[in-house]
Amino acid sequence: MEQKWAENFDIGLYKKFYDVWVRSTSEMLNEIMRSPQFAAAMGKSLQGSLDFKKRLDESIESSLKGFRLPTSSDVTGLSSRIRALEQQVRGFSKKLEELEAHFPSPTKGPVSRKQSVHQTKK
Amino acid sequence: MAKTETVGPAKGVELLINPGQVKVGRTPHEVIYRDGKLILKHYFPQKKELGSTPLLMVYALVNRPYILDLLPGRSAVENFLKGGTDVYLIDWGIPDDGDRYRTLEDYICGSIHDCVQQVKEATGSEQVSLFGYCQGGTFSAMYAALFPDQVKNLILWATPIDFEVEGLLNLWAKKEYFDVDKLVDTYGNIPASILNGAFAMLRPIYNLVDKYVQFSWGLTENNMTDEKIELFMAMEKWISDGIAQPGEVFREFVKACYQENLLVQNRMKLGKRLIDLKKIRCPVLNVISAGDHIIPPDSSRPFNKLISSKDQRLLIFPSGGHVGMTVGSQARTALWPKVVDWLVERS
């Protein structure tokens, strides 16, 4: 019986069936996903999951605060301050470069950008 | 094992279990500049005679830039090197919480501009050629409009410019469906899982079922060569190697581009700088793939009409998708030689 089944097994037939399934399912899903209703449902689902995450984060934060441990908001606040400082440093560096270009140091001479490039090589 | 020999299911299963063993980004290079997580790579030239203008490649903030140097023979970097171009590539690194407040202005007027200066200093060139892929192409177009004197040539590769055209991402990101503020305020940086999920949903049957079925059939029927398996696994590695996108950049990009479509109206601003695409006068090659399911061809096509360049070309690759146009077999023979020649003639 098994041998007979193996003899009659035609993979080509299964492939044809599979190809038809892929084509028809893809077309159907594509049509669904292109609809405004799907976009709206996806938006609502995202909103729901974000609401849940927000509540979860708030609950975790309030627990951590009780133990005087740094929270996600603390890290975010620090990130924001670091970014502001980075921008200030970038601004100062540019101004220094401009000054160096106009008033080269009499002892060391101007620091060329070429040197700074090689210094960063690793 | 010879590249053309077929391999059986055992090798395929072994690779499937451990895709990490596929080595990507193998073209020899050095790092010439670092700024935080950003590194600027310089690829060692493969020809003695180099064109006078170096090329700076700018990748998107989605996934990793090694897609531009995936495997030997499947590498955009290698193609340009073989054409005699001096190639540099920006690797943005993997963003963390410290990057969540970085803006588009930081990336474009800060990081890209700094890299352009580094390339100019390293080569002595007055200008650079820019190659931008996907979102990196949008960044490159913005940069070329803001700093036109810095850019000798501009190549856009599958680049979204007009976000009003029909497309799934354009639809899903509309203001009425997608609250980007809430997403960014909740997560900070946008997790790779959310971005990858959205990309997978663009072609769910292919991405989640069909490509694995085709791969398995290839193995069982013994018609997979070593090279084909390596490419499949390298692609799997790249797809699963997603990274988060900095929150503020994502918010700004979605609002200004996807929801307001300001770039094509010349109304988009980075800080106080207004982006006027008409200020782009350099030679431009805009390459799009007719089968791109991520960036609809109609999203890239209008760019050539929005700029002032007299020397400009729209190159449409008839087959292959968003990634296939970069690493696919047909792109290797039918697309890349044209692109490399275009640049060589203008460098």
Side-chain angles (χ1 to χ4, degrees), chain A residues 19-61:
Chain A
D19 287 343
V20 170
W21 176 80
V22 165
R23 204 169 43 245
S24 58
T25 314
S26 298
E27 279 169 11
M28 183 188 72
L29 281 176
N30 196 33
E31 205 169 306
I32 292 170
M33 290 191 304
R34 282 186 184 281
S35 69
Q37 290 85 349
F38 179 83
M42 199 163 70
K44 270 190 188 166
S45 154
L46 182 66
Q47 292 265 5
S49 71
L50 292 175
D51 286 336
F52 175 75
K53 183 176 178 351
K54 200 178 168 197
R55 279 200 294 276
L56 186 69
D57 287 349
E58 283 167 358
S59 144
I60 292 170
E61 288 226 351

Side-chain angles (χ1 to χ4, degrees), chain A residues 46-86:
Chain A
L46 182 66
Q47 292 265 5
S49 71
L50 292 175
D51 286 336
F52 175 75
K53 183 176 178 351
K54 200 178 168 197
R55 279 200 294 276
L56 186 69
D57 287 349
E58 283 167 358
S59 144
I60 292 170
E61 288 226 351
S62 67
S63 311
L64 289 175
K65 271 183 186 159
F67 294 104
R68 298 179 61 79
L69 287 169
T71 64
S72 173
S73 308
D74 295 330
V75 176
T76 302
L78 281 173
S79 300
S80 167
R81 291 185 68 181
I82 289 169
R83 183 182 167 270
L85 287 169
E86 274 178 350

